[in-house]
Amino acid sequence: MDIDLPAGSYVVAVSGGVDSVALLHMLAKKSNSLIAKLSDSKASVQPSDQRTIRLTVAHYDHGIRPDSAEDRRLVQALARDYGMPFVYQTGQLGPGASEAQAREARYAFLHRVREASGARAIITAHHQDDVLETAILNMLRGTGRRGLSSLKSTDVVKRPLLHVPKNELLRYASREGLCWREDSTNADERYLRNYIRKNILPRFADASREQLKTHIVLAAGLNKRIEQAAADYLHLQPSVTELDRHNFAMLPHAVAREILAEWLRLNTRAELSKKMLERLVAAAKTGRNGSQVDVDAGYWLYISAQSLVLKPKITLK
């Protein structure tokens, strides 16, 4: 199982579970293979050589399980065996933390490590089953078109295993004699993702699984086209935080909703929902001149005859 990854410096996120342990093993083999090829060419190879893959192993302990320190010790030992730098942080989220809180804390840590190490990207072990679970999860939550293809690689977060099924990773780890730890919270069906993993995805026949994968690919392509069209529209507006109200009011409702959503994503950290967007589109098109509408805890939408202006709320301390 090979990973297509350009040479450079990366932070690899390793939890200690089978997925990330298998990923780390593949990356170590690829790195060693590149070094061996360079050495065979009789070129001088240094640890900082830009033609190789250089990895920093990063582990975030959420502080959710009492035995989570064992995960860190396993990952630390693996990093030592592979001769890689190891960085970790222990959080204090507690057993009641949500999936969203855990994810936010983990990625905040990973991005800090990426910036501090000068790495070009973070690498995670998300795989094909994660893609399908995320699509189902987001459909159940009603997140709309973006939710169907939300799990993907970006410039700063590389996910090279998205095409690999979970059972293939398990076979690889067993074949290579790898050791990993099972996260006991993965069995807790109070988490919606775990319920989907145990009760919904296993019911998919091979044909249904392939059909869902096809829909995800089609949605990803459609999303790119929509986002590019929205970016082109926003580029023609008076400023980054100002829209031409008359032009916006003339847009079809569904198009106006997509434009507003992209505008808010670019300029705020608001948690978008269909209900919020419907409310804001209606206000933007029909609101009184001189009125202001609450976007979220951080922003107002100011409405005038000519424009829609996004402004931060001023908080007094």
Side-chain angles (χ1 to χ4, degrees):
M1 194 180 301
D2 190 32
I3 291 179
D4 183 18
L5 197 69
S9 176
Y10 297 91
V11 173
V12 55
V14 184
S15 67
V18 63
D19 308 332
S20 59
V21 167
L23 170 67
L24 182 61
H25 187 262
M26 293 175 210
L27 290 169
K29 287 175 69 175
K30 185 172 183 66
S31 177
N32 291 336
S33 175
L34 280 174
I35 291 172
K37 286 179 181 177
L38 290 170
S39 298
D40 288 345
S41 68
K42 297 184 169 51
S44 176
V45 182
Q46 301 298 325
S48 60
D49 197 308
Q50 296 301 311
R51 296 167 294 176
T52 63
I53 290 175
R54 302 174 306 286
L55 302 172
T56 296
V57 178
H59 174 81
Y60 186 74
D61 181 346
H62 299 89
I64 293 175
R65 293 181 289 112
D67 63 343
S68 58
E70 295 297 321
D71 300 352
R72 189 260 301 164
R73 281 190 274 271
L74 170 66
V75 178
Q76 190 169 13
L78 290 172
R80 183 177 60 245
D81 292 343
Y82 290 128
M84 298 173 186
F86 173 72
V87 183
Y88 79 96
Q89 181 178 327
T90 302
Q92 302 294 331
L93 299 185
S98 68
E99 290 178 271
Q101 289 172 316
R103 182 174 59 253
E104 184 175 343
R106 180 170 64 253
Y107 276 101
F109 161 70
L110 292 170
H111 282 293
R112 286 196 298 272
V113 176
R114 178 181 64 82
E115 291 168 5
S117 64
R120 65 188 296 170
I122 297 161
I123 307 176
T124 75
H126 290 101
H127 47 75
Q128 188 181 96
D129 289 49
D130 290 320
V131 174
L132 302 181
E133 289 167 12
T134 300
I136 296 169
L137 179 68
N138 287 334
M139 282 190 281
L140 292 174
R141 287 174 172 168
T143 56
R145 62 170 181 83
R146 286 170 58 93
L148 196 58
S149 62
S150 60
L151 192 57
K152 56 192 175 186
S153 282
T154 67
D155 289 342
V156 293
V157 181
K158 302 294 184 184
R159 297 183 170 107
L161 301 179
L162 292 182
H163 63 290
V164 181
K166 171 81 171 189
N167 57 14
E168 198 170 319
L169 286 175
L170 282 167
R171 286 195 295 269
Y172 175 88
S174 298
R175 187 170 64 248
E176 296 292 328
L178 305 180
C179 296
W180 64 88
R181 284 181 54 80
E182 296 291 345
D183 184 341
S184 58
T185 62
N186 286 339
D188 188 347
E189 293 186 18
R190 290 176 298 177
Y191 293 108
L192 182 55
R193 181 179 291 276
N194 291 345
Y195 181 86
I196 292 167
R197 181 179 301 136
K198 287 179 165 294
N199 299 287
I200 297 180
L201 198 56
R203 294 174 181 267
F204 277 50
D206 288 345
S208 299
R209 188 180 175 108
E210 288 301 315
Q211 190 174 32
L212 179 55
K213 284 163 55 181
T214 299
H215 285 312
I216 291 170
V217 171
L218 291 173
L222 179 61
N223 287 340
K224 282 185 179 179
R225 293 196 293 275
I226 292 173
E227 287 158 13
Q228 184 58 58
D232 292 343
Y233 177 90
L234 293 174
H235 183 69
L236 299 175
Q237 297 309 298
S239 77
V240 173
T241 57
E242 181 181 352
L243 301 182
D244 181 311
R245 187 185 182 189
H246 176 73
N247 186 284
F248 183 84
M250 298 301 291
L251 295 173
H253 183 81
V255 175
R257 190 174 60 229
E258 294 292 349
I259 293 293
L260 190 70
E262 191 66 17
W263 189 46
L264 293 176
R265 288 189 196 102
L266 290 171
N267 294 289
T268 76
R269 297 185 67 183
E271 289 288 333
L272 305 185
S273 68
K274 185 176 180 180
K275 184 177 179 180
M276 172 204 272
L277 293 172
E278 292 286 351
R279 173 176 60 83
L280 291 175
V281 169
K285 290 192 172 192
T286 65
R288 273 188 352 267
N289 180 22
S291 62
Q292 65 182 34
V293 182
D294 186 74
V295 175
D296 69 348
Y299 288 86
W300 293 109
L301 178 65
Y302 285 82
I303 301 171
S304 73
Q306 295 78 30
S307 62
L308 305 167
V309 181
L310 195 60
K311 292 186 178 180
K313 294 178 179 177
I314 299 174
T315 55
L316 298 177
K317 295 185 178 180

